[in-house]
């Protein structure tokens, strides 16, 4: 009786889901890969072809161990999909070698179907030549190219190449684009073009722009002149031949710059609210004051010119929450004559924080002259003032470093546990007749090498966590220690599962050969 009741309830729930309109089912399926979406076609006749009209394509190389299988799957998806249905979104995750052809094949298909969102993430061992047609689209609204490092690669390997390669023959033409994220991209200027070309001038609706770890060859000046830009992040952003970066953005609210090279920044952003700058050298003072500025965090490791520092601070006079590196304060303290007859410009200041930018110093004593303190605080006597020591910053840094390692390893272990459980279940279900010996032997070899790398990564990160903990005071170490004990137990379990999975693969191959 209970069994019939349960079956009836399951049928009702299935009918409720099946009765939803296609657009809602498509939205639900967009949260999983297209491979798993296709697997729903066996549920009923209602679901058989529903994946073919999905406007969302989530293609992941992670679903396939071997490249030929992924190639076959991509061809199947693109050829069997309803060609009359537009593609609103593509999420493409790749790793390994020889992925260039997939990027071109999939992107070309998407651009011919009025794509609106393109998100490409890779862990590649060779670069991807981006086809020339990608620099123009009337429909594209969100574009992202990012380097997606596996946990092992990100933790242990310095990536010495940039996987995406654009040859900039002209200005990018994306009139509908609102979000652009570029990570590990090479932009090569055509020799026939102006080295000061404004790549983004035809992206008039761009509101959010992020450039991380990119290389530009042949460009001398990068211009970011965008009327609607609201958020701009340049994080270790541009290396290569670039000398000057011009930013003209009347609607810019948030600006983050991390630059450990010596570039000239010319900034015009009258409505800026938040500014974060971190670099070896001081940021050039803007032509006009930041009259709307509320929060600024300025960290300069090697400020050479006290006058330049003073000019920059004067442009920040409207700020309410100000954070400065101790190196800036020390530079001003060594040139107090510049502060004579200079009133404090910070009439709106509510909070001032000073912290060391460098964690390793031969001299531990914090130096801040009375003249500098007066210059920063006299116009806002009610502002809170915090001066952090080198020791405090080191402890906080190492505590966070240990917590980040723990979080990263825990996420890695959870992912590996799920992957090995799924792999074991698949091996149990697989019959001898279904085994392709040649493919299984290749797969086994790949799994053995991956297993070695994963085990090495787990051991290495646990070792590094211990090294960080040794640097912490006892109270800070005590708060983290319980998490380490649990993590070690989880690591032992996962490494055993990885080994057992390889053994099961080996036993299956042996049984077929015998």
């Amino acid at each position: 009786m209970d069994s019939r009741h349960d079956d009836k309830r399951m049928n009702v729930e299935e009918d409720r889901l099946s009765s939803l309109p296609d657009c809602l089912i498509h939205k639900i399926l967009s949260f999983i890969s297209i491979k798993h979406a296709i697997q729903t076609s066996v549920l009923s006749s209602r679901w058989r072809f529903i994946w073919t009209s999905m406007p969302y394509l989530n293609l992941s190389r992670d679903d396939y161990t071997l490249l030929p299988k992924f190639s076959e799957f991509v061809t199947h998806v693109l050829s069997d999909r309803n060609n009359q249905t537009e593609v609103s979104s593509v999420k493409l995750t790749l790793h390994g070698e020889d992925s260039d052809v997939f990027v071109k094949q999939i992107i070309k298909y998407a651009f011919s179907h009025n794509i609106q969102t393109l998100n490409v993430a890779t862990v590649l061992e060779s670069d991807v030549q981006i086809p020339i047609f990608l620099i123009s689209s009337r429909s594209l609204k969100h574009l992202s190219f990012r380097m997606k490092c596996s946990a092992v690669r990100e933790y242990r390997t310095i990536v010495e190449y940039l996987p995406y390669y654009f040859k900039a023959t002209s200005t990018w033409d994306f009139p509908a684009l609102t979000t652009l994220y570029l990570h590990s991209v090479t932009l090569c200027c055509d020799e026939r073009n102006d080295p000061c070309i404004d790549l983004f001038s035809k992206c008039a609706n761009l509101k959010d722009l992020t450039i991380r770890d990119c290389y530009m060859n042949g460009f001398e000046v990068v211009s970011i002149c965008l009327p609607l830009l609201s958020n701009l992040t340049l994080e270790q952003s541009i290396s290569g031949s670039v000398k000057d970066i011009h930013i003209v953005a009347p609607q810019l609210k948030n600006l983050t710059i991390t630059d450990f090279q010596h570039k000239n920044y010319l900034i015009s952003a009258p409505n800026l609210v938040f500014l974060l700058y971190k670099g070896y050298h001081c940021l050039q003072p803007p032509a006009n004051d930041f009259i709307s500025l509320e929060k600024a965090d300025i960290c300069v490791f090697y400020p050479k010119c006290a006058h330049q520092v003073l000019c920059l601070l004067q442009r920040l006079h409207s700020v309410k929450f100000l954070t400065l590196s101790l190196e800036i304060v020390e530079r001003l303290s060594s040139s107090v004559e510049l502060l004579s007859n200079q009133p404090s410009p910070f009439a709106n200041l509510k909070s001032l924080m000073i912290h060391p930018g460098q964690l390793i110093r031969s001299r531990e004593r914090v130096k801040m002259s009375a003249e500098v303190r007066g210059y920063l605080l006299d116009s806002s006597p009610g502002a809170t003032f915090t001066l952090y020591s080198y020791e405090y910053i080191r402890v906080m840094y190492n505590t966070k470093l240990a917590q980040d390692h723990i979080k990263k390893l825990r996420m890695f272990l959870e992912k590996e546990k799920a992957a090995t459980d799924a792999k074991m279940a698949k091996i149990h279900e697989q019959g001898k007749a279904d085994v392709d010996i040649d493919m299984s032997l290749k797969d086994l070899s790949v799994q053995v090498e991956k297993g070695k790398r994963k085990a090495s990564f787990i051991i290495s990160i646990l070792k590094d966590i211990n090294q960080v903990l040794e640097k912490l005071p006892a109270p800070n170490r005590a708060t983290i220690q319980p998490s380490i004990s649990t993590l070690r137990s989880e690591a032992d379990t996962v490494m055993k599962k990885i080994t057992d999975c390889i053994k099961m693969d080996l036993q299956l191959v042996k049984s077929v050969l015998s």
Side-chain angles (χ1 to χ4, degrees), residues 94-339:
L94 299 169
H95 64 79
E97 298 180 350
D98 302 322
S99 296
D100 186 69
V101 63
F102 299 119
V103 175
K104 292 179 179 178
Q105 180 185 8
I106 296 165
I107 292 179
K108 183 176 181 180
Y109 180 90
F111 269 61
S112 66
H113 288 74
N114 296 321
I115 186 173
Q116 295 182 26
T117 301
L118 174 61
N119 188 332
V120 183
T122 63
V123 184
L124 297 181
E125 296 169 12
S126 59
D127 63 0
V128 175
Q129 301 285 330
I130 303 299
I132 194 66
F133 62 78
L134 184 55
I135 65 172
S136 177
S137 170
R138 314 303 293 179
S139 61
L140 193 63
K141 295 181 179 179
H142 309 282
L143 175 60
S144 173
F145 282 93
R146 65 181 70 210
M147 182 72 171
K148 178 188 176 184
C149 290
S150 65
V152 178
R153 179 185 293 274
E154 184 178 8
Y155 192 75
R156 281 296 172 197
T157 304
I158 299 175
V159 180
E160 296 180 348
Y161 65 90
L162 305 182
Y164 309 110
Y165 181 91
F166 288 85
K167 190 167 187 179
T169 58
S170 62
T171 301
W172 289 9
D173 189 7
F174 297 121
L177 196 68
T178 61
T179 305
L180 177 59
Y181 188 104
L182 300 176
H183 180 200
S184 298
V185 173
T186 295
L187 293 166
C188 183
C189 182
D190 192 299
E191 295 179 357
R192 298 166 296 179
N193 285 348
D194 183 353
C196 302
I197 187 173
D198 185 352
L199 285 177
F200 309 113
S201 63
K202 293 185 179 179
C203 305
N205 286 300
L206 195 59
K207 296 180 180 178
D208 296 278
L209 173 60
T210 299
I211 302 177
R212 291 184 57 201
D213 299 313
C214 292
Y215 181 85
M216 292 192 175
N217 184 26
F219 294 91
E220 295 179 2
V221 177
V222 173
S223 293
I224 302 174
C225 304
L226 297 164
L228 300 181
L229 190 65
S230 180
N231 303 296
L232 175 60
T233 299
L234 305 175
E235 186 175 338
Q236 299 181 25
S237 55
I238 301 171
S239 60
S241 57
V242 175
K243 298 177 182 177
D244 301 304
I245 297 178
H246 298 172
I247 301 170
V248 179
Q251 299 302 318
L252 189 63
K253 301 295 183 185
N254 303 297
L255 174 59
T256 298
I257 300 174
T258 305
D259 187 352
F260 296 108
Q261 301 181 39
H262 197 170
K263 296 187 185 66
N264 297 313
Y265 287 86
L266 301 179
I267 302 172
S268 176
N271 291 305
L272 196 67
V273 174
F274 170 79
L275 171 64
L276 186 152
Y277 175 80
K278 181 181 290 188
Y280 288 143
H281 307 283
C282 188
L283 182 69
Q284 289 79 14
N288 300 303
D289 296 348
F290 294 132
I291 58 175
S292 300
L293 193 65
E294 295 189 3
K295 186 175 182 179
D297 187 340
I298 311 296
C299 180
V300 182
F301 294 109
Y302 305 107
K304 295 181 179 180
C305 178
H307 178 72
Q308 188 179 35
V309 171
L310 194 62
C311 290
L312 175 62
L313 291 177
Q314 288 170 345
R315 295 300 189 202
L316 309 180
H317 65 83
S318 298
V319 71
K320 297 177 181 178
F321 303 91
L322 179 61
T323 301
L324 299 174
S325 64
L326 182 59
E327 290 78 8
I328 289 176
V329 171
E330 289 179 337
R331 173 54 63 194
L332 290 176
S333 295
S334 67
S335 305
V336 292
E337 67 278 1
L338 294 176
L339 302 178

Side-chain angles (χ1 to χ4, degrees), residues 310 313-314 339 342-346 371-377:
L310 194 62
L313 291 177
Q314 288 170 345
L339 302 178
Q342 288 275 3
S344 173
F346 302 109
E371 292 87 349
V372 173
R373 182 176 179 134
Y375 177 77
L376 295 173
L377 291 169

Side-chain angles (χ1 to χ4, degrees), residues 421-444:
D421 286 345
K423 177 72 173 176
M424 288 178 178
K426 183 178 178 181
I427 294 173
H428 280 303
E429 295 172 0
Q430 193 173 19
K432 293 183 181 181
D434 299 325
V435 176
D436 182 327
I437 290 297
D438 291 336
M439 296 295 287
S440 294
L441 287 173
K442 291 180 181 178
D443 186 27
L444 182 60

